[in-house]
Amino acid sequence: MSDRKPWRLRTWILMGYSIPITALVVSAATTIFNVSQLQQRAQELDRSRSVAVEIGVIDNASGVMSRAVRGYLLDQRSRFLQTFQQGQSKTQQALNKLDQLIVVSDQQQRLEELRRVLQDVETLNLSLLDLAKQGKVARAVQEWKASINQTKPHRGQFLVAAQCCFHSR
């Protein structure tokens, strides 16, 4: 009978130590899991912010390009052409960065849609510039006026495509 009492006491002591240690291990594992989830979410948030910045750059650069075309139609100075080319360069750089940032297939499809819209607007702008360079400024202005109603949907499509690009799942 004396052997059972120390064994019971020893069991209770071991259980007294093992339960808090087990709880500590479970708590540490849960904390490690939550921290890794938080790190993944933070990386995704950083990527989303980077995408949003690049979309802003594209929006700004496309606006600069359109204003440069209008400026060139009003006054055929080479600085407007330089501004247009700078806008083209910034747009292309931002699109290249977006290619690296966007990894979800739906977002990549929207990025391709965005590229098509930008290409349509750029083609229009280049044709207007070509007409103005050839001395057909009046015709270029007429085509620009005719295209205003056609490019407004492009602008809306651009904004929708741009917004959809960086919304992640």
Side-chain angles (χ1 to χ4, degrees):
M1 196 172 234
S2 64
D3 286 337
R4 287 187 98 186
K5 285 186 179 181
W7 184 76
R8 282 186 176 176
L9 181 60
R10 199 174 327 146
T11 303
W12 284 109
I13 291 172
L14 288 175
M15 284 179 42
Y17 281 111
S18 65
I19 290 174
I21 290 173
T22 303
L24 180 65
V25 168
V26 168
S27 174
T30 304
T31 302
I32 290 170
F33 175 76
N34 287 337
V35 167
S36 70
Q37 292 283 56
L38 183 62
Q39 286 175 338
Q40 289 174 352
R41 299 250 176 173
Q43 288 172 350
E44 188 174 317
L45 180 62
D46 288 343
R47 185 186 60 77
S48 294
R49 285 182 181 160
S50 297
V51 169
V53 166
E54 295 307 320
I55 293 294
V57 168
I58 291 172
D59 187 37
N60 184 36
S62 65
V64 166
M65 289 168 45
S66 294
R67 287 189 298 276
V69 169
R70 289 192 305 262
Y72 191 76
L73 293 178
L74 293 173
D75 184 16
Q76 290 77 39
R77 292 189 185 171
S78 62
R79 69 182 168 127
F80 292 115
L81 293 176
Q82 292 170 348
T83 302
F84 180 80
Q85 291 168 348
Q86 289 171 351
Q88 278 181 311
S89 175
K90 285 182 182 178
T91 299
Q92 191 56 46
Q93 290 172 358
L95 285 171
N96 291 340
K97 287 182 184 176
L98 284 175
D99 279 335
Q100 296 169 357
L101 292 171
I102 294 178
V103 294
V104 178
S105 64
D106 290 346
Q107 294 172 349
Q108 289 171 342
Q109 290 173 353
R110 290 185 187 112
L111 179 60
E112 289 307 313
E113 180 182 336
L114 177 62
R115 280 185 191 278
R116 284 190 295 275
V117 169
L118 288 171
Q119 185 62 42
D120 291 346
V121 172
E122 186 175 354
T123 301
L124 172 67
N125 286 336
L126 288 172
S127 69
L128 294 174
L129 289 174
D130 286 341
L131 285 173
K133 286 178 189 176
Q134 295 170 4
K136 302 176 183 176
V137 177
R139 184 173 169 207
V141 170
Q142 286 176 344
E143 286 191 22
W144 174 74
K145 286 180 181 179
S147 72
I148 289 175
N149 291 332
Q150 294 172 354
T151 57
K152 281 184 182 176
H154 285 306
R155 177 84 172 153
Q157 290 172 354
F158 170 78
L159 293 175
V160 168
Q163 297 241 335
C164 293
C165 271
F166 67 89
H167 288 297
S168 58
R169 297 178 181 197

